[in-house]
Amino acid sequence: LPVMPYEAYSGMATDDVAALIAYLRTLKPVKKAAPQMQSWLPLVRSVAVPLWLKIFGRFSRPLSRAPTTGVERGRYLVEHVSLCGDCHTPRNAIGVPDRSLYLAGADEKNGPLGASVPNITPDKETGIGDWTRDDIAELLLTGTKPGLDNVQGLMAEVIEHGFKRMAKEDALAIADY
């Protein structure tokens, strides 16, 4: 919860939010019927979601300006723009991310759409600690791993529909973070 993690975007810089809104307004609307909501108790969402957000929400103070370089730029992009932790951090049964395992990956039981997600921490045994800065940037921009394998599933979609258009400097800032 929530399905759209809007509270995580609350840390975006004001100028970036304005640019995002301006971009969204250039897109043509898509006609698509919303799926019927499936709930065993119709009003539970109207009470449960605000309560869940009050207890577990990740609201941040928006920045007046986004960091432009280095590790702080990478942190900003990972935590408030790309939301890497939403997939790469395991969640418990009620959807609360386990912050003690931030970016440590998730198995099929705790990953998005029942998929396992890799550990992207600097751990050399289970994460990407042996990868170079350029290896990480290359994966983000092209989907190619250091062993020349390519990413699959949701991450392939993220790269295809977004990350491949990222400035190389931003990919390197993420790698630095």
Side-chain angles (χ1 to χ4, degrees):
L1 281 172
V3 174
M4 172 62 176
Y6 55 85
E7 85 280 8
Y9 292 114
S10 65
M12 283 182 72
T14 307
D15 288 348
D16 286 347
V17 172
L20 180 59
I21 291 168
Y23 167 73
L24 291 172
R25 289 182 175 155
T26 69
L27 301 176
K28 293 184 183 202
V30 175
K31 271 193 167 186
K32 185 175 180 181
Q36 181 117 13
M37 190 164 91
Q38 298 176 3
S39 179
W40 53 271
L41 189 58
L43 300 177
V44 76
R45 288 183 68 86
S46 62
V47 173
V49 171
L51 181 62
W52 192 95
L53 286 170
K54 185 116 177 120
I55 297 169
F56 304 112
R58 303 168 286 168
F59 292 97
S60 302
R61 295 179 88 148
L63 301 173
S64 55
R65 300 188 77 176
T68 56
T69 60
V71 173
E72 283 306 307
R73 174 73 176 170
R75 179 177 184 225
Y76 169 75
L77 293 171
V78 166
E79 293 183 1
H80 299 294
V81 180
S82 302
L83 306 185
C84 301
D86 270 17
C87 289
H88 290 275
T89 302
R91 295 173 179 265
N92 68 17
I94 61 169
V96 179
D98 182 348
R99 298 281 177 228
S100 70
L101 294 172
Y102 183 64
L103 301 178
D107 59 18
E108 294 86 4
K109 181 178 152 194
N110 297 311
L113 304 176
S116 64
V117 181
N119 177 344
I120 58 171
T121 67
D123 186 89
K124 290 190 183 276
E125 290 181 32
T126 62
I128 56 173
D130 288 333
W131 291 26
T132 67
R133 178 179 190 244
D134 287 327
D135 289 342
I136 296 168
E138 182 72 14
L139 177 120
L140 295 172
L141 296 170
T142 68
T144 305
K145 297 177 187 178
L148 299 181
D149 192 7
N150 61 339
V151 296
Q152 302 292 318
L154 292 173
M155 190 65 191
E157 290 182 42
V158 168
I159 291 166
E160 178 61 29
H161 299 292
F163 283 7
K164 75 178 185 182
R165 293 174 189 83
M166 181 186 332
K168 183 161 187 174
E169 295 79 26
D170 285 342
L172 289 169
I174 290 172
D176 291 341
Y177 173 67

